[in-house]
Amino acid sequence: MAGRAEPSGPAACGGAPGLLPVLLLLLSAAAIIPRGDGQNLVTEDVTVVEGDVATISCRVKNSDDSVIQLLNPNRQTIYFRDFRPLKDSRFQLVNFSNSELRVSLTNVSISDEGRYFCQLYTDPPQEIYTTITVLVPPRNLVIDIQKEIAVEGEEIELNCTAMASRPATTIRWFKGNKELTGKSEVEQWSDMYTVTSQLLLKVGREDDGVPVICLVDHPAVKDLQTQRYLEVMYKPQVRVSQNYPVQGLTREGEPLELTCAAFGKPQPTDMRWLRVDDEMPQHVVVSGSNLLISNLNKTDNGTYRCEASNAVGKSHADYMLFVYDTTATTEPAVHGFTQLPNSAEELDYGDLSGTPSPLNASTEALPTVQLSNASLAFRPDSRAGEEGAIRSVDHAVVGGVVAVVVFAMLCLLIILGRYFARHKGTYFTHEAKGADDAADADTAIINAEGGQNNSEEKKEYFI
C-alpha cells in the first residue's frame, strides 16, 4: 500500500489542520519546488511601544514565486502565503505578493515579544528571523518632598519615582532652567523596572516659588515630567529710605523724615527704630515704620537703625545722620544709599535688574541696606554733601607733606656731599721712615722710626 506524503513545514500550522495538507499536496503535485539559487530573504527587527501596532515584513529578493510563510516564536504558522491558519485576529495581512509577505500585529503586549520566523520554500529551504521588542513607558511619575516648607539654609531631600517601565528609565532633575544631579536606584521585578532618584538640595530665599522638575528620558515616551514648587521661609530684608529732604544737606533747624520697609516670609511682625550706641533723642517721633525729627541739631548726629523680625530671624538697616550748619551750601555729590548687597544671591535677586523685587536684608554681623530701584544701592549718609570738598582738602594736605619730605631729603644729600668732598686727599705717615736705605726687609724694620734700634733687642730665646 502506497504511503501518504506529510508536509514538513506547514504541518504545525495551528488552525485548519485538514485543509493545509491538501493544499500542500496539490502544490507538490502541480510543480516541483524551485531551487533557491539567487533568492534571498530579507527582514528587519521591530521595536514597538506596548499597545501600539507592530508590522512584520518578509521580503524576497529575485523572487521566482516561491512560497513564503510567517511563524510565531512558538513556530506556529501565522500566515502561509495569504492564508492565516492561526486564530488570532490581531494578526492582519497588510500586503502579499510574490516578493513580500507583510503582516501587522495590533495591541502589542509583553507576551508578544520574541523571534518571528520568515520561511521561503526553496531547495534548500531558507529561514531568517525578526525580533519584536516591546517598550513599556513608566506607569506613574511622582515627586516626594521631605519638607513641604523649608527654612533658608536648610538641605531638603526630594525623591522622584518612575514605576513599571521597560527598559529602566533615566531620571533628570531641574531647578527652574538649571539641571541638577541626583542619585538613582533601579529595582527590577519580573520584566519591569522601577527607578527612584534622590536629590539633596540646599535652599535659599531665592528658591521660594521656584519649580523643581523631575524629567524622564525613555524611548517609549516623550516629555514626561512632574514638578513641585519650593516654599522657603526667610528672615526679613530691610531698607531705609529718606523721604525729606529728598536731596540736599541735612541742616540744623530743618526736618528729617525716614521710612523703613521690610519684606520677609512670613511677613515681619515686629519693626522698631533705635539709635546705635546712644539713646534716642526725646524730640524724635517714631510712628510705625516712620522716624521724624522736626528740628535737626548737632546732638542728633549718629547712626539710626531700623530692625525687623519674623519667625525665622531678625535683620536691620542703618542710616548715618550728620547735621550741617545752616550756612552750608555745598550740594551733595551723591545722595542716598551707599552700601553693597549681603551676598551674590542678593545681588542677583535685588533691584539691579530694574524690576521691582523683594528687599535685600542685612544680617546682625553685617549691617547693610537694600539696593535702590533706580541705581546701585547707597548707604544712607547725610554727610554726602561735602564729599567733594573733603576729598580736595585731603589731596592738598598729602601734597604738602610729600613736598616737605622731598625738600628735606635734598638738603641732606647736599650736606653729605660737601662733607665727603672736604675730607678727600692723600695722607703721609712716618711708619716707614728710615727703611729706604735698608739692605733687606729685616733691617728696614729694625731701622724704622719707632722700631727697635738695637739688634740685640730683636733676639729671641727659646727655653
Side-chain angles (χ1 to χ4, degrees), residues 280-333:
M280 185 75 77
Q282 295 183 356
H283 59 278
V284 173
V285 178
V286 175
S287 177
S289 60
N290 294 330
L291 182 146
L292 176 64
I293 303 177
S294 58
N295 189 2
L296 288 172
N297 58 67
K298 296 286 187 177
T299 61
D300 296 329
N301 289 342
T303 301
Y304 294 82
R305 174 173 296 176
C306 175
E307 290 185 345
S309 62
N310 60 9
V312 179
K314 180 171 65 174
S315 301
H316 67 264
D318 292 342
Y319 178 89
M320 185 176 294
L321 174 63
F322 187 85
V323 180
Y324 290 89
D325 294 331
T326 55
T327 58
T329 58
T330 304
E331 290 297 324

Coordinates of all heavy atoms in Angstrom, one line a residue, residues 280-333:
M280 N 17.8 107.4 72.1 CA 17.1 108.1 71.1 C 16.7 109.5 71.6 O 16.2 109.6 72.8 CB 15.8 107.3 70.7 CG 15.0 108.0 69.6 SD 15.8 107.7 68.0 CE 15.3 106.0 67.7
P281 N 17.0 110.6 70.9 CA 16.6 111.9 71.4 C 15.1 112.0 71.7 O 14.3 111.4 71.0 CB 17.0 112.8 70.2 CG 18.1 112.1 69.4 CD 17.7 110.6 69.6
Q282 N 14.8 112.8 72.7 CA 13.4 112.9 73.1 C 12.5 113.5 72.1 O 11.3 113.2 72.0 CB 13.3 113.6 74.4 CG 14.0 112.9 75.6 CD 13.8 113.7 76.9 OE1 13.3 114.8 76.9 NE2 14.3 113.1 78.0
H283 N 13.1 114.4 71.2 CA 12.2 115.1 70.3 C 12.0 114.3 69.0 O 11.3 114.7 68.1 CB 12.8 116.4 69.9 CG 14.2 116.3 69.3 ND1 15.3 116.2 70.1 CD2 14.6 116.4 68.1 CE1 16.4 116.1 69.3 NE2 16.0 116.2 68.1
V284 N 12.6 113.1 68.9 CA 12.4 112.2 67.8 C 11.0 111.5 67.9 O 10.7 111.0 68.9 CB 13.5 111.2 67.6 CG1 13.2 110.2 66.5 CG2 14.8 111.8 67.4
V285 N 10.3 111.6 66.8 CA 8.9 111.0 66.8 C 9.0 109.7 65.9 O 9.3 109.8 64.7 CB 7.9 112.0 66.3 CG1 6.5 111.3 66.2 CG2 7.8 113.2 67.2
V286 N 8.6 108.6 66.5 CA 8.6 107.3 65.8 C 7.1 106.9 65.6 O 6.4 106.7 66.7 CB 9.4 106.2 66.5 CG1 9.2 104.9 65.7 CG2 10.9 106.6 66.5
S287 N 6.7 106.7 64.4 CA 5.3 106.3 64.2 C 5.3 105.1 63.2 O 5.5 105.3 62.0 CB 4.5 107.4 63.6 OG 3.2 107.0 63.2
G288 N 5.2 103.9 63.8 CA 5.3 102.7 63.0 C 6.6 102.5 62.3 O 7.7 102.4 62.9
S289 N 6.6 102.6 61.0 CA 7.9 102.4 60.2 C 8.5 103.8 59.9 O 9.6 103.8 59.2 CB 7.6 101.7 58.9 OG 6.6 102.4 58.1
N290 N 8.0 104.9 60.3 CA 8.5 106.2 60.0 C 9.2 106.8 61.2 O 8.8 106.6 62.4 CB 7.4 107.2 59.6 CG 6.7 106.7 58.3 OD1 7.4 106.2 57.5 ND2 5.5 107.0 58.1
L291 N 10.3 107.5 61.0 CA 11.0 108.3 62.0 C 11.1 109.7 61.6 O 11.5 110.0 60.4 CB 12.4 107.7 62.2 CG 13.3 108.4 63.2 CD1 14.2 107.3 63.9 CD2 14.2 109.5 62.7
L292 N 10.7 110.7 62.5 CA 10.6 112.1 62.1 C 11.3 112.9 63.2 O 11.1 112.7 64.4 CB 9.1 112.5 62.1 CG 8.9 114.0 61.8 CD1 9.4 114.4 60.4 CD2 7.4 114.4 61.9
I293 N 12.2 113.7 62.7 CA 12.9 114.8 63.5 C 12.5 116.1 62.9 O 12.9 116.5 61.8 CB 14.4 114.6 63.5 CG1 14.8 113.2 64.0 CG2 15.1 115.6 64.4 CD1 16.3 112.9 64.0
S294 N 11.7 116.9 63.6 CA 11.1 118.1 63.1 C 12.1 119.2 63.1 O 12.0 120.2 62.3 CB 9.9 118.5 63.9 OG 10.2 118.7 65.2
N295 N 13.1 119.2 64.0 CA 14.0 120.3 64.1 C 15.4 119.7 64.4 O 15.8 119.4 65.5 CB 13.6 121.3 65.2 CG 14.4 122.6 65.2 OD1 15.3 122.8 64.4 ND2 14.2 123.4 66.2
L296 N 16.2 119.6 63.4 CA 17.6 119.0 63.5 C 18.5 119.9 64.2 O 18.5 121.1 64.1 CB 18.1 118.6 62.1 CG 17.5 117.5 61.3 CD1 18.1 117.4 59.9 CD2 17.7 116.2 62.1
N297 N 19.4 119.3 65.1 CA 20.5 120.0 65.7 C 21.7 119.0 65.8 O 21.6 117.8 65.5 CB 20.1 120.5 67.1 CG 19.7 119.4 68.0 OD1 20.5 118.6 68.4 ND2 18.4 119.4 68.4
K298 N 22.8 119.6 66.2 CA 24.1 118.8 66.2 C 24.0 117.6 67.1 O 24.7 116.6 66.8 CB 25.2 119.7 66.6 CG 25.6 120.9 65.7 CD 26.2 120.4 64.4 CE 26.7 121.5 63.6 NZ 27.4 121.1 62.4
T299 N 23.2 117.6 68.1 CA 23.1 116.5 69.0 C 22.5 115.3 68.4 O 22.5 114.2 69.0 CB 22.4 116.9 70.3 OG1 21.1 117.3 70.0 CG2 23.1 118.0 71.0
D300 N 21.8 115.5 67.2 CA 21.1 114.4 66.6 C 22.1 113.5 65.7 O 21.7 112.5 65.2 CB 20.0 114.9 65.7 CG 18.9 115.6 66.4 OD1 18.7 115.2 67.6 OD2 18.3 116.6 65.9
N301 N 23.4 114.0 65.6 CA 24.3 113.2 64.8 C 24.4 111.8 65.3 O 24.5 111.6 66.6 CB 25.7 113.9 64.8 CG 25.7 115.1 64.0 OD1 24.8 115.4 63.2 ND2 26.7 116.0 64.2
G302 N 24.5 110.8 64.4 CA 24.7 109.4 64.9 C 24.1 108.5 63.8 O 23.7 108.9 62.7
T303 N 24.0 107.2 64.2 CA 23.5 106.1 63.4 C 22.2 105.7 63.9 O 22.0 105.3 65.0 CB 24.5 105.0 63.3 OG1 25.7 105.4 62.8 CG2 24.0 103.9 62.4
Y304 N 21.2 105.7 63.0 CA 19.8 105.3 63.4 C 19.5 104.0 62.7 O 19.7 103.8 61.4 CB 18.8 106.4 63.0 CG 19.0 107.6 63.8 CD1 19.9 108.6 63.4 CD2 18.2 107.9 64.9 CE1 20.1 109.7 64.2 CE2 18.3 109.0 65.6 CZ 19.3 110.0 65.3 OH 19.4 111.1 66.0
R305 N 19.0 103.0 63.4 CA 18.8 101.7 62.9 C 17.4 101.2 62.9 O 16.6 101.5 63.9 CB 19.6 100.7 63.8 CG 19.4 99.2 63.4 CD 20.4 98.3 64.2 NE 21.8 98.6 63.7 CZ 22.8 98.0 64.3 NH1 22.7 97.2 65.3 NH2 24.0 98.3 63.8
C306 N 16.9 100.6 61.9 CA 15.6 100.0 61.8 C 15.7 98.5 61.9 O 16.4 97.9 61.0 CB 14.9 100.4 60.5 SG 13.3 99.6 60.3
E307 N 15.1 97.9 62.8 CA 15.1 96.4 63.0 C 13.8 95.8 62.7 O 12.7 96.4 63.1 CB 15.5 96.1 64.4 CG 17.0 96.3 64.7 CD 17.4 95.8 66.1 OE1 16.4 95.5 66.9 OE2 18.6 95.8 66.4
A308 N 13.8 94.7 62.0 CA 12.5 94.0 61.7 C 12.8 92.5 62.0 O 13.9 92.0 61.7 CB 12.1 94.2 60.3
S309 N 11.8 91.8 62.4 CA 11.9 90.4 62.8 C 10.7 89.6 62.4 O 9.6 90.2 62.3 CB 12.2 90.2 64.3 OG 11.2 90.7 65.0
N310 N 10.9 88.3 62.1 CA 9.7 87.4 61.9 C 10.1 86.1 62.6 O 11.0 86.0 63.4 CB 9.4 87.2 60.4 CG 10.6 86.7 59.6 OD1 11.6 86.2 60.2 ND2 10.4 86.6 58.3
A311 N 9.4 85.0 62.3 CA 9.6 83.7 62.9 C 10.9 83.1 62.6 O 11.4 82.2 63.3 CB 8.4 82.8 62.5
V312 N 11.5 83.5 61.5 CA 12.8 83.0 61.1 C 14.0 83.7 61.7 O 15.0 83.0 62.1 CB 12.9 83.0 59.5 CG1 14.3 82.4 59.1 CG2 11.8 82.3 58.9
G313 N 14.0 85.0 61.8 CA 15.1 85.7 62.4 C 14.9 87.2 62.3 O 13.8 87.7 62.1
K314 N 16.0 87.9 62.6 CA 15.9 89.4 62.7 C 17.0 90.0 61.8 O 18.1 89.4 61.7 CB 16.2 89.8 64.1 CG 16.1 91.3 64.4 CD 16.1 91.6 65.9 CE 17.4 91.2 66.5 NZ 17.5 91.7 67.9
S315 N 16.7 91.1 61.1 CA 17.6 91.9 60.3 C 17.4 93.3 60.6 O 16.5 93.8 61.2 CB 17.3 91.6 58.8 OG 17.5 90.2 58.5
H316 N 18.4 94.1 60.1 CA 18.3 95.6 60.3 C 19.0 96.3 59.1 O 19.7 95.7 58.3 CB 19.0 96.0 61.6 CG 20.5 95.7 61.6 ND1 21.0 94.6 62.2 CD2 21.5 96.5 61.2 CE1 22.3 94.7 62.0 NE2 22.6 95.8 61.4
A317 N 18.7 97.6 59.1 CA 19.4 98.5 58.1 C 19.7 99.8 58.9 O 18.9 100.2 59.8 CB 18.5 98.8 56.9
D318 N 20.8 100.5 58.6 CA 21.3 101.7 59.3 C 21.2 102.9 58.4 O 21.4 102.8 57.2 CB 22.7 101.5 59.8 CG 22.8 100.4 60.9 OD1 21.8 100.1 61.5 OD2 23.9 99.9 61.1
Y319 N 21.0 104.1 59.1 CA 21.1 105.4 58.4 C 22.0 106.3 59.3 O 21.8 106.4 60.5 CB 19.7 106.0 58.3 CG 19.7 107.4 57.7 CD1 19.6 107.6 56.3 CD2 19.8 108.5 58.5 CE1 19.6 108.8 55.8 CE2 19.8 109.8 58.0 CZ 19.7 109.9 56.6 OH 19.8 111.2 56.0
M320 N 23.1 106.8 58.7 CA 24.0 107.7 59.4 C 23.6 109.1 59.1 O 23.6 109.6 58.0 CB 25.4 107.4 58.9 CG 26.5 108.1 59.7 SD 28.2 107.7 59.1 CE 28.2 106.0 59.7
L321 N 23.4 109.8 60.2 CA 22.9 111.2 60.1 C 24.1 112.1 60.5 O 24.7 111.9 61.6 CB 21.7 111.5 61.1 CG 21.3 112.9 61.2 CD1 20.8 113.5 59.9 CD2 20.2 113.0 62.3
F322 N 24.3 113.2 59.7 CA 25.3 114.2 60.0 C 24.6 115.6 59.8 O 24.2 115.8 58.6 CB 26.6 114.1 59.2 CG 27.6 115.1 59.6 CD1 28.5 114.8 60.6 CD2 27.8 116.3 59.0 CE1 29.5 115.7 61.0 CE2 28.7 117.2 59.4 CZ 29.6 116.9 60.4
V323 N 24.4 116.4 60.8 CA 23.7 117.6 60.7 C 24.7 118.7 60.4 O 25.7 118.9 61.1 CB 23.0 117.9 62.0 CG1 22.2 119.3 61.9 CG2 22.0 116.8 62.3
Y324 N 24.5 119.5 59.3 CA 25.3 120.6 58.9 C 24.8 121.9 59.4 O 23.7 122.1 59.8 CB 25.4 120.7 57.4 CG 26.1 119.5 56.7 CD1 25.4 118.3 56.4 CD2 27.5 119.6 56.5 CE1 26.1 117.3 55.9 CE2 28.2 118.5 55.9 CZ 27.5 117.4 55.6 OH 28.1 116.3 55.1
D325 N 25.7 122.9 59.4 CA 25.3 124.3 59.8 C 24.3 124.8 58.8 O 24.2 124.4 57.6 CB 26.6 125.2 59.8 CG 27.5 124.8 60.9 OD1 27.1 124.2 61.9 OD2 28.7 125.0 60.7
T326 N 23.6 125.8 59.2 CA 22.6 126.4 58.4 C 23.2 127.1 57.2 O 22.6 127.4 56.2 CB 21.7 127.4 59.2 OG1 22.5 128.3 59.8 CG2 20.9 126.6 60.2
T327 N 24.5 127.5 57.3 CA 25.2 128.2 56.3 C 25.8 127.3 55.2 O 26.4 127.8 54.2 CB 26.3 129.1 56.9 OG1 27.2 128.3 57.6 CG2 25.7 130.1 57.8
A328 N 25.8 126.0 55.4 CA 26.4 125.1 54.5 C 25.6 125.2 53.2 O 24.4 125.1 53.1 CB 26.4 123.7 55.0
T329 N 26.4 125.3 52.1 CA 25.7 125.5 50.7 C 26.2 124.4 49.7 O 25.7 124.4 48.6 CB 26.0 126.9 50.2 OG1 27.5 127.0 50.1 CG2 25.5 128.0 51.1
T330 N 27.2 123.6 50.1 CA 27.7 122.6 49.1 C 26.6 121.6 48.9 O 26.1 120.9 49.8 CB 28.9 122.0 49.7 OG1 29.9 123.0 50.0 CG2 29.5 121.0 48.7
E331 N 26.3 121.4 47.6 CA 25.4 120.4 47.2 C 26.0 119.0 47.2 O 27.2 118.9 46.9 CB 24.8 120.6 45.8 CG 23.9 121.8 45.8 CD 22.7 121.7 46.6 OE1 22.2 120.5 46.7 OE2 22.2 122.6 47.2
P332 N 25.3 118.0 47.6 CA 26.0 116.7 47.7 C 26.3 116.1 46.4 O 25.6 116.3 45.4 CB 24.8 115.8 48.4 CG 23.6 116.5 48.0 CD 23.9 118.0 48.0
A333 N 27.5 115.5 46.3 CA 27.9 114.8 45.1 C 27.1 113.6 44.8 O 26.7 113.3 43.7 CB 29.4 114.5 45.1

